[in-house]
């Protein structure tokens, strides 16, 4: 299951990077503001996603290899690269000072994550397909929250 281990490690890394991004963006917003609280909550949800991936890895590691399983390692690697680049940008330039700027920065990231989670990151295993479909739905919820923050101003 080396390929699956690698894919899950990359998926976990993306969730951890997303949590760091949301925390960093929250730091750039006014202390005590509703938007700062929202970004901190989104960071916590991303941390929860990473923890769920770790639990999934533990649960499936003893299963025999499924020859029908197909993995999109390139898609997973692209997710990691996107998240690392976005975090690098925020670290180099600092977080946007406005709620709209912070929301817009993450809207595209959540849109890409949702698309990758929803489309063939893993195929041939109903449990894994369901798991990533659920992550895609949660990405969509984050996207809606971010759109509301962007439109609010």
């Amino acid at each position: 299951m080396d390929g699956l281990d690698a894919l899950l490690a990359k998926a976990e890394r993306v969730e951890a990077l997303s949590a760091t991004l949301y925390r960093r963006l929250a730091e750039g917003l006014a202390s005590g503001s509703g938007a700062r609280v929202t970004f901190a909550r989104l960071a916590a949800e991303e941390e929860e996603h990473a923890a769920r991936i770790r639990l999934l890895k533990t649960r499936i590691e003893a299963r025999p290899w499924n020859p029908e399983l197909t993995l999109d390692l390139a898609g997973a690697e692209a997710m990691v690269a996107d998240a690392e680049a976005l975090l690098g940008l925020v670290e180099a330039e600092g977080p946007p000072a406005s709620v709209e700027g912070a929301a817009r920065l993450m809207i595209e990231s959540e849109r890409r994550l949702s698309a990758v989670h929803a489309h063939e990151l893993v195929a041939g295993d109903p449990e894994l397909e369901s798991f990533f479909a659920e992550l895609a739905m949660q990405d969509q919820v984050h996207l809606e929250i971010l759109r509301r923050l962007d439109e609010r101003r």
Side-chain angles (χ1 to χ4, degrees):
M1 286 232 212
D2 290 338
L4 181 55
D5 289 341
L7 183 131
L8 293 175
K10 291 176 190 321
E12 181 183 349
R13 173 91 173 121
V14 167
E15 300 299 338
L17 287 166
S18 295
T20 301
L21 267 164
Y22 277 119
R23 271 194 310 279
R24 187 74 177 95
L25 292 171
E27 292 167 3
L29 300 173
S31 180
S33 70
R36 185 174 183 154
V37 170
T38 298
F39 274 83
R41 183 178 49 107
L42 291 169
E45 288 181 14
E46 297 294 350
E47 289 167 350
E48 180 185 316
H49 296 173
R52 289 182 58 219
I53 292 169
R54 285 190 299 278
L55 286 173
L56 176 68
K57 284 169 39 177
T58 301
R59 194 170 64 247
I60 66 172
E61 66 186 8
R63 291 195 318 187
W65 175 249
N66 176 353
E68 296 181 26
L69 186 64
T70 58
L71 308 171
D72 182 4
L73 289 171
E77 187 58 46
M79 287 186 343
V80 171
D82 283 352
E84 287 175 340
L86 191 53
L87 182 57
L89 176 72
V90 170
E91 293 296 338
E93 297 180 6
S98 72
V99 173
E100 301 90 348
R104 287 184 193 134
L105 194 66
M106 291 307 293
I107 284 172
E108 186 57 32
S109 177
E110 288 286 358
R111 188 184 348 248
R112 284 192 306 267
L113 284 176
S114 177
V116 173
H117 283 150
H119 295 100
E120 305 301 323
L121 193 59
V122 176
D125 183 300
E127 179 183 10
L128 293 171
E129 289 173 9
S130 175
F131 179 85
F132 282 106
E134 187 177 316
L135 282 184
M137 286 189 294
Q138 291 170 346
D139 294 336
Q140 287 296 315
V141 170
H142 290 183
L143 194 50
E144 269 310 303
I145 291 167
L146 293 166
R147 284 184 178 135
R148 281 190 300 239
L149 286 173
D150 185 34
E151 293 168 357
R152 203 171 72 175
R153 302 285 170 182

